[in-house]
Amino acid sequence: MSDTLLVLWDIDLTLIRTSGVATEAYAAAVQETIGSPWRGDMTFNGLTERAMATRILRMHDVEPEPELLARFLVNIERALLDRAEATKARGFALPGASAALQAVAADPAIRQSVLTGNIRSVAEMKLRAFGLDPWIDFSVGAYGDDEFERNALIPHAWHRAETRYGQTYTPARTVVLGDTVRDVEAALTHDAAVVAVASGTTSGADLRAAGAKVVLDDLTDTERVIAAIEEASAIAAAA
């Protein structure tokens, strides 16, 4: 189909929830990279892996020089992938996530991938852990090792989708779904459509205040999710 819609999902707290596994992985990577014990938790919501790694090194009084940051990212990726079974055992797909992904994938007028702060291999592992991977085309996603700022990720998805499908996606034909203010900002920076989902730690009111015109409490109503995607695209087209 020549004029399909590109739907890009955030992963953590939009589609799935894990319980402390990422913090454990980061603690192990810190120990391996700089030999320092972990200095406590931090807020990961909406940051890319590159931004999180930079912040954590500074939290441990170490400047993220390029070579050190690259080595730290490799160690983070390995630590997260080593915890695939722990992720599966301690986490879960959020209610409605599987049905929503299946419904979107069943529509021939939609292409579906992710826009996530996770490194691609970790994104694949997380969705595979909960059986959500069959409906995602990871080859056209945008990931946390592509850029430092989440706001810069969408062009990567556009370029990959054009290469794969031979279609140039306009902002109005691109819909981002996510649970944080950073997800909303990432979409609006490029005038893309956005459906905010208040399934994480950010309230619906705060998501609206960030600029989201379409906000869902969760993904449990599959028909409403599909309608929200269409509504957000129409709003972006009319802007």
Side-chain angles (χ1 to χ4, degrees):
M1 183 167 292
S2 60
D3 190 27
T4 57
L5 196 66
L6 180 64
V7 168
L8 300 170
W9 294 86
D10 173 55
I11 294 177
D12 295 289
L13 298 182
T14 300
L15 294 172
I16 69 168
R17 184 183 293 271
T18 58
S19 301
V21 177
T23 300
E24 292 174 8
Y26 266 88
V30 165
Q31 183 65 47
E32 182 177 0
T33 307
I34 61 173
S36 174
W38 182 246
R39 292 187 179 178
D41 207 348
M42 64 170 288
T43 300
F44 294 90
N45 294 350
L47 292 175
T48 67
E49 208 80 70
R50 189 175 297 276
M52 286 188 282
T54 298
R55 180 177 292 188
I56 288 174
L57 286 174
R58 287 180 173 149
M59 185 174 75
H60 290 82
D61 300 323
V62 176
E63 274 304 301
E65 301 295 339
E67 186 277 333
L68 177 64
L69 180 60
R71 182 155 47 91
F72 188 34
L73 284 166
V74 168
N75 291 338
I76 290 168
E77 181 178 16
R78 183 187 306 116
L80 287 165
L81 294 177
D82 285 348
R83 287 163 174 78
E85 289 304 314
T87 298
K88 183 176 181 179
R90 291 160 52 183
F92 55 91
L94 289 172
S98 179
L101 291 178
Q102 289 184 65
V104 172
D107 189 334
I110 302 177
R111 307 293 191 187
Q112 178 172 234
S113 191
V114 293
L115 190 145
T116 175
N118 290 287
I119 294 170
R120 175 172 171 173
S121 62
V122 176
E124 293 182 5
M125 177 273 286
K126 286 181 174 181
L127 294 188
R128 186 165 55 248
F130 307 111
L132 303 179
D133 58 308
W135 303 292
I136 297 293
D137 184 350
F138 291 101
S139 71
V140 300
Y143 302 94
D145 48 342
D146 285 328
E147 296 283 350
F148 183 88
E149 296 292 348
R150 195 181 193 97
N151 287 358
L153 290 182
I154 284 182
H156 289 275
W158 279 337
H159 173 73
R160 289 166 180 155
E162 182 175 2
T163 299
R164 174 144 170 75
Y165 299 124
Q167 176 183 336
T168 299
Y169 286 91
T170 64
R173 300 298 294 168
T174 306
V175 184
V176 174
L177 292 96
D179 67 284
T180 73
V181 167
R182 287 188 174 96
D183 293 302
V184 176
E185 291 174 347
L188 297 183
T189 295
H190 299 279
D191 298 320
V194 59
V195 176
V197 188
S199 51
T201 60
T202 307
S203 69
D206 286 344
L207 293 167
R208 289 186 182 89
K213 306 296 187 200
V214 183
V215 180
L216 302 175
D217 291 333
D218 52 41
L219 301 176
T220 55
D221 186 338
T222 304
E223 290 186 5
R224 175 61 186 132
V225 173
I226 299 301
I229 290 169
E230 294 172 351
E231 180 184 356
S233 179
I235 290 171

